[in-house]
């Protein structure tokens, strides 16, 4: 008989843990996971069309593109409220976007200041929209090469300057670990926790996970979710090829089991597809013209497959 692979053992242990917890406290597993969608990958599409697509596929939450890159840019609160209300959508959070121009870790103070100003604008927007979190990346996405050896410390000191605003406005700073091919610091859940500890602020206590980055940087995705624990406020989803769920080799059942084990089916915590397609860096997608039929298929296929696998996991018994 062929011996067991490590990944098979990890999956078996996960299943045992999931079923054991479900037997011990079935009420904890009664509620479904909260499914959202990160809309910035829809590019320049009008929010009205994006909201209609999500509603047609049974999605009730949206992670809004943090597009307030300047005081005159980005979604307007009243108009955005009206659109979301029309389609029965609520805001899960805001996806912060951090490039060389607004980089907390930059060695150019003007870029750090731009990051702080941007964060304050997005906190206010998230608060006005009733969102729960703002995704924060400690260093520029799309710049894997470090400026120097002091990026972590610079990023921490910069975020400390606005950390109190998160707590004051009731918005969680969700630190996202990004794969080392896309950013220079904070690549794993453990590193995100170290960053949070270094900032040491009540408003900066949460993690935004991403299974695409986890499959590169972590030993086993479900274990990384378990390591994040109750800090995990949101989990970005895409298959192994960063395409629709079900189009790759991601063990979605394992992801769902781990999400239930850390209580991601509770208020204010979300599972958020963000299938962007492969590439060295994802941000060009935010400025592209949408392929509407392709996006319609992407959402339909992802949501239907997620619900299918969630049903399968929920029906598991010893």
């Amino acid at each position: 008989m062929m011996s067991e692979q490590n990944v098979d053992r990890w999956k078996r242990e996960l299943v045992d843990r999931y079923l054991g917890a479900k037997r011990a406290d079935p009420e904890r597993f009664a509620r479904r996971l909260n499914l959202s969608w990160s809309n910035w990958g829809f590019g320049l599409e009008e929010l009205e069309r994006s909201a209609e697509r999500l509603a047609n596929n049974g999605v009730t939450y949206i992670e809004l593109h943090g597009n307030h890159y300047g005081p005159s840019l980005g979604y307007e609160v009243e108009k955005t409220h009206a659109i979301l209300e029309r389609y029965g959508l609520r805001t899960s959070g805001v996806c912060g976007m951090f490039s060389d121009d607004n980089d907390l870790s930059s060695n150019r103070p003007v870029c750090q200041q731009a990051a702080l100003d941007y964060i304050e604008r997005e906190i206010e927007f998230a608060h006005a929209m009733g969102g729960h979190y703002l995704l924060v990346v400690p260093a520029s996405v799309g710049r894997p090469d470090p400026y120097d050896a002091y990026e972590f410390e610079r990023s921490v000191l910069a975020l400390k300057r606005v950390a109190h605003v998160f707590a004051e406005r009731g918005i969680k700073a969700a630190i996202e670990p990004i794969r080392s091919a896309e950013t220079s610091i904070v690549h794993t859940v453990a590193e995100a926790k170290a960053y949070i500890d270094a900032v040491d602020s009540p408003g900066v206590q949460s993690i935004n996970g991403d299974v695409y980055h986890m499959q590169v940087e972590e030993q086993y995705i479900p274990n990384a979710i378990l390591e994040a624990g109750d800090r995990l406020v949101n989990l970005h989803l895409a298959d192994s090829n960063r395409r629709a769920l079900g189009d790759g080799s991601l063990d979605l059942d394992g992801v769902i089991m781990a999400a239930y084990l850390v209580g991601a089916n509770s208020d204010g915590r979300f599972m958020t597809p963000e299938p962007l397609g492969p590439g060295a860096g994802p941000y060009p997608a935010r400025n592209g013209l949408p392929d509407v039929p392709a996006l319609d298929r992407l959402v339909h296929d992802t949501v239907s497959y997620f619900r299918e696998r969630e049903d399968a996991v929920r029906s598991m018994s010893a």
Side-chain angles (χ1 to χ4, degrees):
M1 183 177 179
M2 188 163 59
S3 62
E4 192 175 43
Q5 296 183 99
N6 287 344
V7 68
D8 295 326
R9 173 171 55 82
W10 298 331
K11 178 64 175 287
R12 174 172 49 78
E13 292 169 351
L14 174 68
V15 170
D16 289 345
R17 181 170 175 177
Y18 172 78
L19 292 176
K22 192 174 179 183
R23 283 193 301 269
D25 186 6
E27 186 62 28
R28 176 181 159 200
F29 296 83
R31 178 173 170 172
R32 284 184 171 275
L33 295 164
N34 301 310
L35 188 63
S36 183
W37 193 285
S38 189
N39 81 311
W40 70 267
F42 294 161
L44 299 178
E45 181 174 79
E46 290 293 327
L47 182 59
E48 177 104 19
R49 179 65 185 87
S50 300
E52 180 185 28
R53 174 185 300 114
L54 297 181
N56 286 345
N57 285 279
V59 179
T60 54
Y61 288 96
I62 184 170
E63 179 184 88
L64 289 164
H65 178 185
N67 57 9
H68 300 88
Y69 300 108
S72 302
L73 297 172
Y75 294 132
E76 298 173 11
V77 171
E78 288 188 13
K79 184 177 179 180
T80 304
H81 263 304
I83 291 171
L84 299 192
E85 185 175 346
R86 191 174 306 134
Y87 293 97
L89 292 172
R90 288 174 284 175
T91 303
S92 56
V94 172
C95 189
M97 315 291 282
F98 295 87
S99 62
D100 290 353
D101 294 331
N102 63 331
D103 184 349
L104 287 165
S105 73
S106 180
N107 57 4
R108 299 184 63 216
V110 66
C111 296
Q112 287 189 301
Q113 184 63 59
L116 299 182
D117 294 343
Y118 171 76
I119 287 171
E120 292 206 58
R121 285 192 296 271
E122 295 301 352
I123 290 173
E124 290 305 314
F125 177 66
H127 174 75
M129 293 304 302
H132 297 265
Y133 64 87
L134 169 64
L135 187 157
V136 176
V137 184
S140 173
V141 177
R143 181 185 57 79
D145 298 323
Y147 292 120
D148 51 40
Y150 313 109
E151 288 190 347
F152 184 94
E153 291 78 10
R154 274 200 305 273
S155 182
V156 165
L157 289 171
L159 190 57
K160 276 179 176 282
R161 292 180 175 271
V162 294
H164 65 282
V165 185
F166 286 99
E168 290 167 2
R169 304 306 277 163
I171 299 298
K172 297 175 180 178
I175 307 303
E176 181 173 18
I178 301 286
R179 65 186 180 134
S180 52
E182 291 184 35
T183 196
S184 54
I185 58 171
V186 186
H187 307 126
T188 66
V189 166
E191 290 171 357
K193 291 165 76 172
Y195 182 86
I196 289 167
D197 289 345
V199 176
D200 190 24
S201 174
V204 185
Q205 293 293 318
S206 300
I207 291 174
N208 186 101
D210 188 310
V211 298
Y212 183 72
H213 301 302
M214 286 175 171
Q215 74 175 336
V216 176
E217 300 291 342
E218 307 283 2
Q219 185 183 56
Y220 182 53
I221 293 172
N223 285 351
I225 293 169
L226 296 176
E227 182 182 3
D230 59 9
R231 291 183 185 270
L232 188 72
V233 69
N234 186 55
L235 184 65
H236 279 165
L237 301 172
D239 218 308
S240 57
N241 48 18
R242 219 173 196 173
R243 295 192 170 101
L245 292 177
D247 279 357
S249 59
L250 176 72
D251 178 10
L252 184 56
D253 290 6
V255 169
I256 290 170
M257 278 185 264
Y260 272 97
L261 282 168
V262 299
N265 59 333
S266 57
D267 285 336
R269 301 176 70 183
F270 305 92
M271 306 286 282
T272 304
E274 190 195 42
L276 301 166
Y283 279 0
R286 64 182 167 172
N287 297 315
L289 292 174
D291 181 339
V292 173
L295 292 177
D296 289 345
R297 288 193 301 273
L298 180 71
V299 173
H300 174 270
D301 292 353
T302 293
V303 172
S304 59
Y305 189 71
F306 178 86
R307 290 305 189 196
E308 173 191 322
R309 297 320 308 167
E310 186 183 22
D311 285 344
V313 167
R314 288 169 58 85
S315 68
M316 289 172 61
S317 59

